[in-house]
Amino acid sequence: MSVLTIRKINKTYGNEAVLHDINIDMQDGEFLILVGPSGCGKTTLLNMIAGLESVTGGEIAIDGRRINGLGPRDRNIAMVFQSYALYPNMTVRGNISFGLEMRKVPRPRRSEIVNRVAKTLQIEHLLDRKPAALSGGQRQRVAIGRALAREPSLFLFDEPLSALDAKLRDEMRTELKILHQRLKTSMVYVTHDQIEAMTLGDRIAVMYGGRVQQLGAPQDIYDNPTNRFVAGFIGSPAMNFIPCELAEENGAFGVRLSGGEETRLLPLPDAIADKLKSWGRGKAVLGVRPEHVTPSTAEQQTEAVSCPVNVVEPTGPNTYVFSKVNDVEIIVRCTPGHAPEAGSRAKLEFDLSKALFFDPETDDRVA
Amino acid sequence: MAANSPAASAGTYRSSRWREHLDTVLPKLTLVPTGAAALIFLYGFIAWTIWLSFTKSTLLPNNRFAGLAQYRFLFKLDTWWVSVTNLVIFGVLYIVICLAIGLFLAILIDQKIRAENLLRTIYLYPLALSLVVTGVAWKWILNPDLGLQSVVRSLGFTHFTFDWLVQPHMAIYTIVIAAVWQASGFVMALFLAGLRGIDGAIIKAAQIDGASLPRIYLRIIIPSLRPVFFSAVILLVSMAIKSFDLIIALTGGGPGYATWLPAIFMYNYGFNRGQIGLGTAAAVLMMLAVALALLPLILSELKEKRRASTR
Ligand SMILES: Nc1ncnc2c1ncn2[C@@H]1O[C@H](COP(=O)(O)OP(=O)(O)OP(=O)(O)O)[C@@H](O)[C@H]1O
Ligand SMILES: [Mg+2]
């Protein structure tokens, strides 16, 4: 059964439309990520699900029940905020049990739940402290604990980890994932961090400009983005976009690539070539991920393009090489030790079976 | 750079030393006049006042030691006890009503009612008026023959009476009215600043937790304004104890001595009736009261500092 259904949701502030025709259907127990750049409307959408923001048009249902007009307290949801939003005057215990108290849960049951939640999140020793006496990570745990206490149908997280430092963020991310696997509750999780999105989500909704650009499983979105925005947003370092000419020579259909010296026509696999032929234009944007371009080791490689090596950046597990093809900068991922030297030239091989093509005008995917 | 060559640096050595010296001394030097003035006119005169309260000074200060005689005499005076009782009535009502109105207005404004800027200006305006102007204005408003009472009577309610100003037992409440009118806007500004400092997400979280708006205010927002309450109370206490000009302008201490406060008492005995010893004794007691009111603030400030430095 679907726990959350969002149908044709619109939102306008005054004359400014910030959300357009959002449709999402979420299965019970799913971990759904809303990801997108700043200002794309993630928080607005989440607040509309929570009932903190009115719905301009469309319908939201939780557990099959239409909730458009209901207040936040009647929606059976819990929310974790980016700023934690702990009640500063209450102890951790008070913070966790406040929602239960407001829902008239009897006192003994309340303390039972508080203890259970504290144990789950390992914050038992903090129960009598005020939020001001907690570290950022501990506050975040308490904020999650406050949400867990109520056993709602749906958890909403608004960038819960973005205020933490990098190391703690990684730890909490893993913990959240474990928590979700154990509790199997439905969660909607907002982030602008695509790594968080990839690692946590069962499904990801990539948003941009108030629209859901693509909704799907992380790997699917990574491999098969529907447009140039999604392709560039998901993945780090970002996908390379190379404007190029499509041409047919000696019966081979391919792309023309040049590293500044001679121009090569690299033939495309049949499946891609067929799509591009039926699309029928001469110019496209080639999208290729950094890991699908490799410096060639073989001496006589006909399908490699000789390119300049401008900068070499070792990061430990990978070394990134910055080069230039068709006058745009591209990033190439190499294994350390096999990276070419900065200032030299290298032959780059393009794995065109993984290549994507976008319409230069509309940015839609064409192959 | 010239200073890098050996000859030049030898030449400028002395003058740069001297300038360095001046740099450290000058700031202290500029503070000397202020410091000396504070020392003499503030602490010197406090000390002198305390000393005078133990002497037999009458019309002119003298140094004939009298022990606690002035204090003993003071405690036997009806006027003193009226002043103290008035201070308690005035102080409690003034502080409680100011806090209540200030908080209420601040919450209203924070709930985004319209014309916030206009309202804030209106509420804060009284504070910009001198207390004497406030006193005179309310003197006219409350005067039975000129103000509110006569206006309402002229509207046809001929039995309407509002003559607290001339009723010995009620006159002190007119001072409460005027003083509250003057200060509650200021208290509102304090609370508004406190409310604005509260993260809006806290309110959203409480809504999701199922709390109604009054509940949210009672259980979360107002309790977390504790520091604001604290500073507001401290400020109001010291303002209440020091009240002088408002009363002089509004009732002149009358009818009779019905609206005397300790400050009026001190002024009357010290300067009008040639009882400097008695007046200074009252002044010393007032200073003790202010100090007691301010002590918690100072202590908590120190505690904050210590906590911050150990962190
Ligand atoms: N109360 C409001 N009135 C008018 N416009 C608003 C209001 N709240 C948000 N917006 C606009 O709606 C758009 C979406 O805002 P939203 O807060 O949902 O972005 P977001 O995706 O959460 O961004 P971020 O990652 O920075 O949190 C923004 O362009 C913002 O300017
Ligand atoms: Mg946001």
Side-chain angles (χ1 to χ4, degrees):
Chain A
M1 197 190 73
S2 54
V3 60
L4 171 70
T5 314
I6 295 175
R7 218 171 287 132
K8 295 205 169 100
I9 280 290
N10 288 298
K11 176 73 184 176
T12 50
Y13 285 113
N15 291 326
E16 193 197 352
V18 295
L19 289 177
H20 315 267
D21 193 28
I22 307 274
N23 290 289
I24 292 174
D25 195 56
M26 191 180 155
Q27 294 307 306
D28 201 8
E30 197 176 354
F31 202 137
L32 177 77
I33 307 275
L34 303 179
V35 68
S38 191
C40 69
K42 309 178 294 286
T43 301
T44 307
L45 180 58
L46 201 70
N47 283 345
M48 282 162 82
I49 300 172
L52 298 168
E53 203 75 78
S54 67
V55 175
T56 309
E59 190 182 82
I60 303 180
I62 289 179
D63 289 334
R65 185 171 61 120
R66 186 186 142 100
I67 51 158
N68 280 37
L70 294 184
R73 60 171 298 168
D74 302 317
R75 295 191 173 199
N76 205 12
I77 46 143
M79 187 158 171
V80 177
F81 294 84
Q82 174 173 5
S83 55
Y84 318 128
L86 298 179
Y87 310 131
N89 57 312
M90 298 184 196
T91 59
V92 169
R93 189 189 304 279
N95 266 282
I96 297 176
S97 65
F98 184 71
L100 301 170
E101 194 189 326
M102 290 300 115
R103 285 181 161 72
K104 308 219 160 49
V105 176
R107 193 179 288 269
R109 176 96 186 97
R110 251 159 36 204
S111 69
E112 215 173 276
I113 294 175
V114 170
N115 289 332
R116 191 201 72 219
V117 167
K119 202 167 161 201
T120 312
L121 295 168
Q122 295 163 13
I123 48 173
E124 288 143 306
H125 57 295
L126 304 174
L127 280 177
D128 293 313
R129 289 208 207 159
K130 292 262 178 78
L134 301 177
S135 74
Q138 289 168 335
R139 279 178 213 183
Q140 193 53 69
R141 262 171 233 255
V142 176
I144 294 171
R146 188 169 60 182
L148 286 183
R150 290 217 335 264
E151 300 184 347
S153 324
L154 186 60
F155 284 99
L156 307 175
F157 292 86
D158 190 1
E159 308 205 17
L161 306 185
S162 63
L164 303 178
D165 66 49
K167 186 168 176 295
L168 200 55
R169 189 155 60 217
D170 290 351
E171 279 172 28
M172 287 297 290
R173 197 172 64 204
T174 316
E175 265 182 55
L176 263 177
K177 181 144 194 168
I178 294 171
L179 195 70
H180 175 251
Q181 282 166 358
R182 191 146 49 94
L183 301 175
K184 303 230 174 348
T185 43
S186 319
M187 297 182 175
V188 181
Y189 186 106
V190 164
T191 179
H192 60 253
D193 178 355
Q194 51 93 17
I195 298 183
E196 247 171 50
M198 291 291 288
T199 49
L200 284 174
D202 293 328
R203 276 198 308 161
I204 301 179
V206 184
M207 293 178 64
Y208 179 62
R211 288 174 207 280
V212 173
Q213 304 287 333
Q214 190 171 3
L215 176 60
Q219 196 62 47
D220 193 40
I221 287 185
Y222 189 81
D223 293 336
N224 277 310
T226 55
N227 58 35
R228 182 171 165 174
F229 172 77
V230 175
F233 190 77
I234 298 291
S236 170
M239 179 181 275
N240 299 304
F241 294 105
I242 308 166
C244 58
E245 266 176 47
L246 306 170
E248 188 152 17
E249 265 174 30
N250 312 327
F253 186 85
V255 283
R256 286 222 167 90
L257 294 180
S258 153
E261 290 175 352
E262 91 266 61
T263 303
R264 274 261 154 82
L265 183 88
L266 302 187
L268 288 165
D270 288 346
I272 297 176
D274 290 346
K275 276 189 208 153
L276 285 174
K277 276 183 199 158
S278 66
W279 179 55
R281 292 214 224 141
K283 282 190 173 142
V285 174
L286 163 68
V288 59
R289 294 207 180 269
E291 64 266 32
H292 296 143
V293 187
T294 37
S296 162
T297 39
E299 264 314 302
Q300 277 305 324
Q301 244 298 355
T302 48
E303 293 193 349
V305 185
S306 165
C307 299
V309 178
N310 295 332
V311 181
V312 177
E313 277 187 357
T315 63
N318 299 308
T319 297
Y320 293 104
V321 171
F322 290 72
S323 177
K324 218 167 201 185
V325 173
N326 287 9
D327 284 332
V328 293
E329 184 160 89
I330 65 162
I331 301 180
V332 177
R333 194 182 79 180
C334 315
T335 41
H338 292 92
E341 254 172 62
S344 68
R345 288 188 79 82
K347 291 212 163 222
L348 297 181
E349 258 178 82
F350 290 78
D351 180 358
L352 292 179
S353 66
K354 301 273 170 52
L356 310 175
F357 287 88
F358 302 95
D359 186 324
E361 272 130 45
T362 63
D363 285 340
D364 285 334
R365 171 110 174 261
V366 288
Chain B
M1 269 209 275
N4 283 347
S5 78
S9 72
T12 54
Y13 181 67
R14 193 172 287 163
S15 81
S16 77
R17 261 279 299 267
W18 190 80
R19 197 175 294 163
E20 221 170 78
H21 195 63
L22 193 70
D23 271 353
T24 57
V25 170
L26 199 61
K28 289 168 193 152
L29 220 58
T30 55
L31 283 179
V32 164
T34 332
L39 212 63
I40 295 169
F41 294 105
L42 212 65
Y43 297 101
F45 278 63
I46 288 175
W48 196 34
T49 304
I50 294 174
W51 163 245
L52 284 181
S53 75
F54 293 110
T55 66
K56 294 180 179 165
S57 301
T58 51
L59 196 58
L60 290 173
N62 65 43
N63 289 334
R64 274 179 292 138
F65 187 68
L68 289 171
Q70 300 286 14
Y71 290 91
R72 248 177 264 129
F73 186 58
L74 181 69
F75 288 148
K76 280 191 209 125
L77 278 177
D78 182 40
T79 44
W80 170 251
W81 289 113
V82 167
S83 304
V84 170
T85 320
N86 276 344
L87 179 62
V88 173
I89 296 174
F90 170 72
V92 169
L93 288 178
Y94 171 64
I95 292 168
V96 169
I97 298 176
C98 271
L99 287 179
I101 293 182
L103 184 60
F104 180 70
L105 292 180
I107 289 176
L108 275 193
I109 288 192
D110 195 48
Q111 281 301 307
K112 299 189 181 63
I113 58 169
R114 275 159 212 283
E116 168 180 340
N117 281 335
L118 179 73
L119 286 176
R120 204 166 35 189
T121 316
I122 290 175
Y123 292 142
L124 269 177
Y125 242 110
L127 194 72
L129 294 181
S130 109
L131 279 163
V132 175
V133 176
T134 307
V136 172
W138 279 95
K139 187 178 179 170
W140 288 337
I141 297 171
L142 296 172
N143 185 314
D145 298 328
L146 297 170
L148 201 61
Q149 176 175 312
S150 80
V151 169
V152 176
R153 280 190 182 176
S154 73
L155 289 175
F157 303 91
T158 44
H159 292 291
F160 178 80
T161 343
F162 189 66
D163 56 355
W164 288 5
L165 194 65
V166 294
Q167 296 278 346
H169 287 293
M170 300 308 279
I172 187 71
Y173 299 106
T174 62
I175 292 173
V176 174
I177 293 173
V180 164
W181 178 83
Q182 218 253 350
S184 51
F186 165 65
V187 177
M188 174 212 72
L190 283 181
F191 278 121
L192 192 57
L195 287 174
R196 286 291 148 82
I198 290 177
D199 180 6
I202 289 178
I203 297 168
K204 290 182 181 171
Q207 280 177 344
I208 290 176
D209 265 345
S212 58
L213 200 60
R215 272 282 181 86
I216 295 174
Y217 272 101
L218 282 177
R219 291 287 309 274
I220 296 162
I221 298 179
I222 293 176
S224 47
L225 288 180
R226 234 182 64 152
V228 184
F229 270 97
F230 196 70
S231 2
V233 167
I234 297 281
L235 285 170
L236 290 172
V237 164
S238 66
M239 271 153 70
I241 293 175
K242 289 188 302 189
S243 295
F244 178 80
D245 25 11
L246 176 67
I247 298 158
I248 293 293
L250 183 56
T251 65
Y257 53 88
T259 52
W260 277 22
L261 290 194
I264 311 261
F265 177 96
M266 179 208 68
Y267 177 76
N268 252 304
Y269 277 87
F271 300 106
N272 287 354
R273 303 191 182 187
Q275 298 262 20
I276 285 186
L278 202 61
T280 50
V284 168
L285 290 180
M286 275 170 62
M287 190 186 71
L288 280 180
V290 174
L292 280 180
L294 291 181
L295 205 62
L297 182 69
I298 294 164
L299 284 183
S300 81
E301 279 289 304
L302 288 180
K303 217 158 89 193
E304 267 312 297
K305 283 231 182 75
R306 209 172 310 139
R307 202 183 298 154
S309 64
T310 53
R311 204 176 279 154

